[in-house]
Each structure stands twice: as structure tokens, then as C-alpha cells.
Amino acid sequence: MDGVIIINKPQGYTSNDIVQIVRKTFSTKRVGHCGTLDPLATGVLPILIGQCTKISKYLVEHEKTYIATVKLGVKTDTGDTEGKIIETKKIPYFSYQIIQEVCNSFLGKQWQKPPMYSAIKKNGKKLYEYARERKDSRCTRKANRNKKNTIKRV
């Protein structure tokens, strides 16, 4: 079987969980995905089956859209909502204009450093595995180009 399936990944599943479900459902081993979504993330996850796995290199470089809900003034040990709160700060007054200026600072070429509790691999091992061993093994990823930021609600 060859093809592309677009999955609306629910929260709580890793991208690999979805790949395993598709493998089992279609009784095939050659299944991959185009871009890792964090278990907390929901959204579009293209799944490639059979010969279509060869096109992944062409799909991962395309523009993507992300929607985020942000909580200001809280820092966790994992950098996400599942971690233990390690710091809180009072947030001064801010306006839509200030938020837009901060968002615009992310436009253009950006080097992303994934958090230690990421599934991104370094030397064949997931970063969160290093983090659980209390070993800092941060890595720098390639630059991404951000073309547009839109704030829908403050």
C-alpha cells in the first residue's frame, strides 16, 4: 500500500504513536510522518505509507502554521505545561501593540534550540532521555524562516 494520510493528531499522542497505529491498522511496516508534533500539540500530521515515504524530504521544508496559547509569568522545569513550576513573575501591564512588537521580533531567520524535554534526537538518543539522566545535551537545529505572526486575541 502506498499513500498519504492526513491525520488530525489529538493531544496525548506522540507522532510515533500515530505511526504505530497506522502500521497496525494497515498491516504495513513502511510508514513515516512529516514533522514531529509534541504530545501536547494537536493538529495536522501527514502520514506517509509505502513508496510515499520517499517524498518526506520535499514536504518537511514547506511553510507551516502554528497556533499557540501562551501563559505569561510562569516557568516550568520542562518548558511546557506538564512541568513543575520553578519560577513565577508578576507581569507588568502590556498592550496589544507591545505583544505584536515582541511577536514581530521572531520574524525572519531564527535558530531554534529545542528544550531538553524534546523528542528530537542527538547521537541517536532523544533529548528527553538525556534530561531524565540529568545530562545537558542541547543541540542547535537548522534555522527556520518565520514569515508572519498574527495575534488573534489578547
Side-chain angles (χ1 to χ4, degrees):
M1 173 182 258
D2 302 313
V4 178
I5 301 173
I6 305 301
I7 302 284
N8 185 9
K9 188 191 86 60
Q11 187 174 5
Y13 289 88
T14 66
S15 298
N16 187 58
D17 291 338
I18 302 299
V19 165
Q20 298 308 319
I21 291 167
V22 171
R23 279 185 179 145
K24 185 175 180 182
T25 302
F26 293 102
S27 300
T28 185
K29 291 183 180 182
R30 197 163 181 191
V31 178
H33 62 79
C34 294
T36 301
L37 286 177
D38 184 281
L40 293 175
T42 61
V44 174
L45 181 65
I47 299 291
L48 309 174
I49 301 172
Q51 292 295 314
C52 289
T53 57
K54 295 176 181 179
I55 66 170
S56 69
K57 62 184 174 188
Y58 304 108
L59 298 177
V60 296
E61 297 302 321
H62 285 276
E63 287 184 27
K64 298 167 185 77
T65 299
Y66 299 94
I67 299 172
T69 300
V70 180
K71 183 174 183 178
L72 302 174
V74 176
K75 182 178 182 180
T76 66
D77 60 352
T78 58
D80 60 25
T81 59
E82 290 189 327
K84 183 175 77 174
I85 295 174
I86 57 174
E87 184 181 348
T88 58
K89 289 184 177 181
K90 185 176 178 180
I91 303 300
Y93 170 79
F94 57 89
S95 65
Y96 176 88
Q97 181 181 350
I98 292 170
I99 293 173
Q100 187 65 58
E101 287 172 11
V102 170
C103 287
N104 286 342
S105 73
F106 291 99
L107 292 175
K109 194 173 186 179
Q110 301 287 321
W111 287 95
Q112 293 182 328
K113 284 190 178 181
M116 280 303 297
Y117 285 85
S118 169
I120 293 169
K121 290 183 179 178
K122 181 177 182 180
N123 300 325
K125 194 173 185 178
K126 294 175 184 168
L127 290 186
Y128 68 75
E129 293 171 350
Y130 288 108
R132 288 181 182 146
E133 295 171 359
R134 303 218 185 273
K135 294 179 181 174
D136 192 343
S137 185
R138 291 189 187 266
C139 61
T140 301
R141 294 191 70 193
K142 65 181 180 180
N144 285 333
R145 186 164 300 281
N146 299 318
K147 294 185 177 180
K148 182 178 179 184
N149 289 319
T150 304
I151 299 171
K152 301 248 181 194
R153 183 175 49 166
V154 175

